[in-house]
Amino acid sequence: MNLNAAAEILFLDEFSAADMPYDAGEEALLKWKTSPLDSAQATYQVFASTMQTGGWIKVDEFSADKKFASDIKLPFWAWKARKDLHAVAIPLETHFGKLEKNKEYFFKIISIKGRQKFESEIVSTQVKRNWFNFARLNNLVFVLVIFGIFIWTVSHAKRKGLFIRRIAGLDAIDEAIGRATEMGRPIYYITGIGSMSSISTIASTFILGEVAGKVAQYDSYVKVPHYNPIVMTVCKEVVRQAYLQAGRPDSYREDMNFFVSSDQFSYAASVDGMITREKPAACFLIGHFMAESLLLAEVGATVGAIQIAGTDSEHQLPFFFTTCDYTLIGEELYAAGAYLSKEPMLLSTLRLQDYGKFFVIVAVVIGIALMTLSVQYKWDLTDKILENIFKTY
Amino acid sequence: MIFKKKLPLIVCFIVGILTLLQYYVPNKVSIGYLETMTQWDIIISAFAFLLGLASLFAMHYDKIRRKTQGWGYSLFMFGGVILGLTCGIISKANQTNQEGFITAFGWIYNYVLNPLQGTMFALLAFYVVSASFRAFRVKSGQAFILFLAAVIILFGRVPLGQLIWSKFMSWLPFGISEAIEWIMNFPSTAARRGIMIGIALGAVAMSLKIIFGIEKQYLGGKE
C-alpha cells in the first residue's frame, strides 16, 4: 500500500498531544481537526511509543466518524465540547505500565480509507499529575456554600426558641423503656449491619447512649447484639458512659454488648432466636439494615414487643413501616441526636438540613420551568448548563 | 482526657478534611492516601474481629458455666466453631483439593452454611406475607390507597391477575401493565426521591457535625 499517496483524503490537521487535564497523570490527550471526509468507512489507528524512532504500539483504533471532543464527558467550564475536533484519551499505564516522571511519550496516527493510508507527523507530550479536578468545581462550590451555612448556623446557635417538630418515634423511647421495666423484660437494641463508617450507625450510637441512660435510670436491662466488632467496641463505651452519667455504674455489665456474627443471616437467625426465647418488651432497630430488617422486625412484632426502627436504607423502610410501631425515616435518624439532647449547638445544625431542603425545592421548581421552556423553545444551551451544574464528575 | 477525647477529635477533623479534599485532588498522592486509609480499615477490622470472637466466647462460656436458659445452644456454638476451624485448617481454607474433590471445609460451606443461609432468606417470603397482612388492613384513607396500589401491583405481576384485569377491567383506557408502570415511576419514585434527598442532606449535616466535633457521642459519651 502507498503511504501518504492519498494525503488529501484524511490529512490530520492541527494534530497535537497534551496531558489529559484533571487526571492523576495516567492519560495523554490527542486532538486533531475533523475532516469533511471523515466517515464510517475511514479508520484512525493511534500508535504510541516511548521513543521517537520506533517501538510503536497500537493503542486505539476507531472509525473516523467517532470520538469527538464533544464526546469527552467534562462540564462546559472545564472543557470545550467541540464537534469539529477529534479527541482521544490514551491510558498510558495500560500500555506502558508504571509511568516515569518527566518522560516524553510519542504519538502518531495512521488514517486509512479503502486501500489508502496517511501517516501523521509524530507529536509528543509529558503527562503530569494534576492537583485539582476542575470538573468537580460545581461540587466544591456546593460544599463551600454548605460549609458556610454550617459555620453560620453553629456560630448563631440559640440557647432557646428553635422549633423542632415532634418525632413520634423518639418520643416513644420513654414509653418503650417504661413498658419493659414494668414487664420485667429486657430491651433489645440492634444497631444493624453497618460499620462505624456508616453515618446511620454513628447516629444509632447516639440514640443508644440516650436509651442506655434511660434504661439505667429505670433499672431495666438492655441487650445490644452486634454484627460488627468495631461497632461493638464503640457501643460498649457509649453504654458504659451512659450508666456512669445516670449514676448507676454498679448496674452496668460488660455483656450488655456482645458480638454475634459477621454473617448477615447467621446474625439474623441468632438474634431472632434470642428474641423468641426472651420475649423482650421493646426492640430498637436503629442503624443500617439490609435483607435482615424484616427477619428481625417481624419476629419482634410476633413476640409483641414495642418496636422503634430507624434507618437510612430506603429499601428497608417499607418493612419497618409494616412491622414496627414507630419508624424514623432517614433524616429523622440523623436529627435524633439533636432532638434527644436538646443541645443548642446540635439543634442549630438542623437548620442546615432545612436550608438544604429549601434549596432543593427552589432548584426543582426553577429546574422544571427552565427544562420545560428549553424543550419548548429548543434552548439546548440552557439544557446543557443545567445538566452540567447538577452532574457529578 | 486529652488522649480520650481531644486527640480522637483532632484525628477525626484532620482525616475528615483530608478525605473530603481527596475527592477534588486527582493526584496519585490523594489516591494513595485513600488506598492507605482503606487498607488501615481492613487491618483494624481484622484485629477487631478477634475482639468480637473474644466477646462471643466469653458470653457463651458464661452461659454454659451458669447453665442459663438455652445453654445447650452455646455448646452447639462452640462445637460449630471447633468443627469449622478444624476443617478449615485441614483443608487449608480450600473448598476443593488438587484432584478437584470437595474438602471437608467445602462440604461444610456448601452443604451446611449455604442451605442454612438459603433457609433464612426463604423465611423472608413468609414474613412478607404476614407483614403485608398487617399493612393491608384498611383503617384509613391512606391505608386504602396503599392497599389499592399493592393489589394492582400484585395482580399485575401474575398471569391470573392479568387475566382478571383483561376480563373485568377492560373498559378502562389503560392496561394493568401501564397502571403498574405509572405507580412505580411516579408516586413511588417521587416518594423515594423525597426520602433520599432528606437522607442525603441529613448525611451531609451529620458528617459536618462529626468532622467539626460537634457530634461526639461515638467517642463514648457527651462530655
Side-chain angles (χ1 to χ4, degrees), chain A residues 204-317:
Chain A
S204 179
T205 59
F206 193 98
I207 302 174
L208 173 64
E210 297 292 326
V211 169
K214 282 174 179 156
V215 166
Q217 280 170 15
Y218 293 156
D219 202 19
S220 190
Y221 191 76
V222 64
K223 284 191 165 186
V224 196
H226 287 284
Y227 170 87
N228 186 304
I230 296 177
V231 178
M232 180 192 73
T233 314
V234 172
C235 288
K236 267 189 178 180
E237 194 59 28
V238 168
V239 175
R240 185 189 290 123
Q241 284 292 329
Y243 269 72
L244 272 172
Q245 279 161 12
R248 301 297 306 273
D250 51 310
S251 301
Y252 173 75
R253 281 176 55 180
E254 275 293 318
D255 62 357
M256 284 172 169
N257 285 271
F258 53 95
F259 177 72
V260 175
S261 171
S262 281
D263 181 82
Q264 184 187 16
F265 290 117
S266 306
Y267 174 77
S270 182
V271 176
D272 278 352
M274 287 182 240
I275 291 173
T276 309
R277 286 190 296 276
E278 297 181 26
K279 296 190 172 40
C283 288
F284 293 87
L285 299 118
I286 296 171
H288 180 75
F289 289 88
M290 291 180 80
E292 75 292 342
S293 64
L294 186 62
L295 290 172
L296 297 166
E298 183 61 16
V299 172
T302 311
V303 299
I306 282 192
Q307 299 209 105
I308 299 172
T311 188
D312 58 357
S313 323
E314 84 272 7
H315 287 100
Q316 307 308 321
L317 282 170

Side-chain angles (χ1 to χ4, degrees), chain B residues 64-76:
Chain B
I64 295 168
R65 189 173 57 80
R66 290 195 287 122
K67 296 237 174 356
T68 53
Q69 191 191 2
W71 65 274
Y73 298 114
S74 301
L75 275 180
F76 200 76

Side-chain angles (χ1 to χ4, degrees), chain A residues 303-379:
Chain A
V303 299
I306 282 192
Q307 299 209 105
I308 299 172
T311 188
D312 58 357
S313 323
E314 84 272 7
H315 287 100
Q316 307 308 321
L317 282 170
F319 297 130
F320 283 144
F321 289 142
T322 53
T323 50
C324 296
D325 300 279
Y326 302 96
T327 305
L328 304 173
I329 306 168
E331 58 173 326
E332 291 179 341
L333 173 64
Y334 302 137
Y339 188 89
L340 293 169
S341 69
K342 306 277 190 258
E343 278 181 36
M345 198 82 101
L346 286 173
L347 280 172
S348 65
T349 58
L350 294 181
R351 281 198 283 182
L352 178 66
Q353 284 169 251
D354 290 342
Y355 290 136
K357 275 183 246 172
F358 178 72
F359 171 77
V360 169
I361 292 165
V362 171
V364 165
V365 171
I366 294 175
I368 288 170
L370 283 175
M371 290 301 277
T372 310
L373 288 171
S374 74
V375 170
Q376 182 73 25
Y377 298 106
K378 299 198 173 9
W379 295 344

Side-chain angles (χ1 to χ4, degrees), chain B residues 100-120:
Chain B
F101 292 111
I102 193 163
T103 61
F105 179 70
W107 193 89
I108 286 178
Y109 192 83
N110 287 313
Y111 298 114
V112 179
L113 194 64
N114 270 352
L116 284 172
Q117 286 182 328
T119 307
M120 282 305 290

